[in-house]
């Protein structure tokens, strides 16, 4: 089909490139992203589907002082990431199992390997994880929330909205990093952004221009072959 329609083929190439070039960037340049660009990205992303068009997302965009206050509140809380209480929702299983355990380990070893951090250098690992809470130095940090009265279907919708943000950002030459690490620190984040109790902190996201000089941004994850997880039937 694509071979017979050059316009569609061109559109597919643009969309595919935005999706394929999306990755979690963990070091950003200080170059600011203007509000009009942020608004345009979010407006496009809001075209994500949602059950009965409920549009369950709410976004708190932070820059400058407000972003710094979030970072300070978390990093000065004295709560280490491994001790943080996932009391609003659990992102990961209580205990990892295969094949997910192997994939998780490969991801961690790959990232820390790119940074030259050895498997027993726990302090360096913690320091790298803490960079989540400065949004990896991105000029824009977003915090996403959802009404706690909504159900699992709205969380599925939310995932599509988040993906739209990341793809729309790539279409504008920007990069992102979605960050579930913020969720267990909702008590520190709430007073900074005046988030009401009826909203659950879903995650954060860094937005900005990639710092290509940083070794952590050389890391690339792989993907399991389709044959391992797709079945066709007629």
């Amino acid at each position: 089909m694509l071979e017979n329609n050059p316009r569609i083929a061109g559109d597919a190439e643009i969309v595919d490139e935005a999706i394929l070039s999306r990755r979690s960037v963990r070091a950003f340049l200080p170059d600011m992203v203007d509000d009009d660009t942020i608004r345009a990205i979010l407006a496009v992303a809001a075209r994500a589907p949602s059950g009965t068009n409920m549009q369950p997302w709410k976004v708190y965009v932070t820059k400058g002082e407000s972003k710094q206050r979030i970072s300070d509140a978390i990093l000065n809380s004295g709560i280490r990431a491994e001790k943080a209480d996932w009391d609003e929702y659990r992102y990961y299983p209580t205990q990892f199992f295969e094949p997910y355990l192997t994939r998780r380990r490969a991801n961690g070893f790959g990232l820390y390997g790119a940074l030259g951090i050895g498997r027993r250098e726990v302090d360096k690992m913690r320091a790298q994880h803490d960079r989540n809470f400065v949004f990896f130095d991105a000029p824009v940090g977003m915090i996403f929330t959802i009404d706690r009265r909504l159900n699992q279907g709205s969380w599925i919708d939310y995932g599509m909205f988040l993906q739209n943000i990341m793809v729309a950002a790539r279409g504008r030459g920007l990069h992102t990093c979605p960050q579930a690490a913020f969720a267990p620190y909702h008590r520190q984040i709430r007073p900074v952004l005046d988030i009401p109790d009826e909203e659950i902190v879903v995650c954060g996201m860094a937005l900005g221009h990639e710092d290509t000089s940083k070794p952590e941004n050389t890391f690339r994850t792989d993907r399991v072959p389709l044959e391992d997880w797709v079945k066709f039937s007629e």
Side-chain angles (χ1 to χ4, degrees), residues 128-194:
Q128 174 59 29
H129 187 273
D130 282 350
R131 283 188 44 73
N132 272 285
F133 306 125
V134 296
F135 295 93
F136 298 111
D137 297 325
V140 180
M142 293 181 282
I143 298 293
F144 300 88
T145 69
I146 188 171
D147 192 306
R148 68 176 65 253
R149 295 168 294 181
L150 295 175
N151 236 320
Q152 286 95 330
S154 291
W155 286 74
I156 295 172
D157 300 340
Y158 216 119
M160 292 184 279
F161 169 67
L162 293 170
Q163 175 74 0
N164 272 3
I165 293 174
M166 294 181 275
V167 172
R170 288 302 302 127
R172 291 161 174 80
L174 299 168
H175 272 285
T176 55
C177 185
Q179 300 165 274
F182 284 99
Y185 291 94
H186 62 93
R187 290 183 180 83
Q188 287 71 38
I189 299 170
R190 288 183 189 281
V192 176
L193 299 179
D194 196 25

Side-chain angles (χ1 to χ4, degrees), residues 45-159:
R47 295 305 307 175
S50 64
T52 65
N53 198 32
M54 289 193 295
Q55 305 171 60
W57 37 81
K58 189 164 185 179
V59 188
Y60 296 80
V61 180
T62 73
K63 300 186 291 183
E65 183 180 344
S66 66
K67 184 167 70 71
Q68 185 63 52
R69 287 171 59 206
I70 292 173
S71 301
D72 292 343
I74 295 173
L75 294 174
N76 295 333
S77 68
I79 304 172
R80 297 283 344 150
E82 62 270 22
K83 299 293 185 181
D85 187 8
W86 287 79
D87 59 337
E88 295 277 63
Y89 79 96
R90 297 197 66 86
Y91 191 94
Y92 297 110
T94 302
Q95 184 169 349
F96 279 90
F97 51 93
E98 296 299 347
Y100 312 107
L101 177 61
T102 295
R103 294 174 189 171
R104 174 180 170 84
R105 285 175 172 169
N107 185 75
F109 293 153
L111 174 60
Y112 293 135
L115 287 161
I117 299 174
R119 297 188 181 186
R120 292 182 174 82
E121 295 182 291
V122 176
D123 289 344
K124 290 183 179 180
M125 291 181 182
R126 284 174 172 169
Q128 174 59 29
H129 187 273
D130 282 350
R131 283 188 44 73
N132 272 285
F133 306 125
V134 296
F135 295 93
F136 298 111
D137 297 325
V140 180
M142 293 181 282
I143 298 293
F144 300 88
T145 69
I146 188 171
D147 192 306
R148 68 176 65 253
R149 295 168 294 181
L150 295 175
N151 236 320
Q152 286 95 330
S154 291
W155 286 74
I156 295 172
D157 300 340
Y158 216 119

Side-chain angles (χ1 to χ4, degrees), residues 178-226:
Q179 300 165 274
F182 284 99
Y185 291 94
H186 62 93
R187 290 183 180 83
Q188 287 71 38
I189 299 170
R190 288 183 189 281
V192 176
L193 299 179
D194 196 25
I195 298 174
D197 288 340
E198 61 265 24
E199 295 176 22
I200 294 175
V201 173
V202 176
C203 66
M205 186 182 293
L207 171 70
H209 297 272
E210 177 188 9
D211 186 345
T212 58
S213 71
K214 299 298 184 181
E216 54 264 51
N217 285 338
T218 65
F219 172 59
R220 300 289 186 276
T221 56
D222 60 10
R223 290 296 184 269
V224 178
L226 263 65

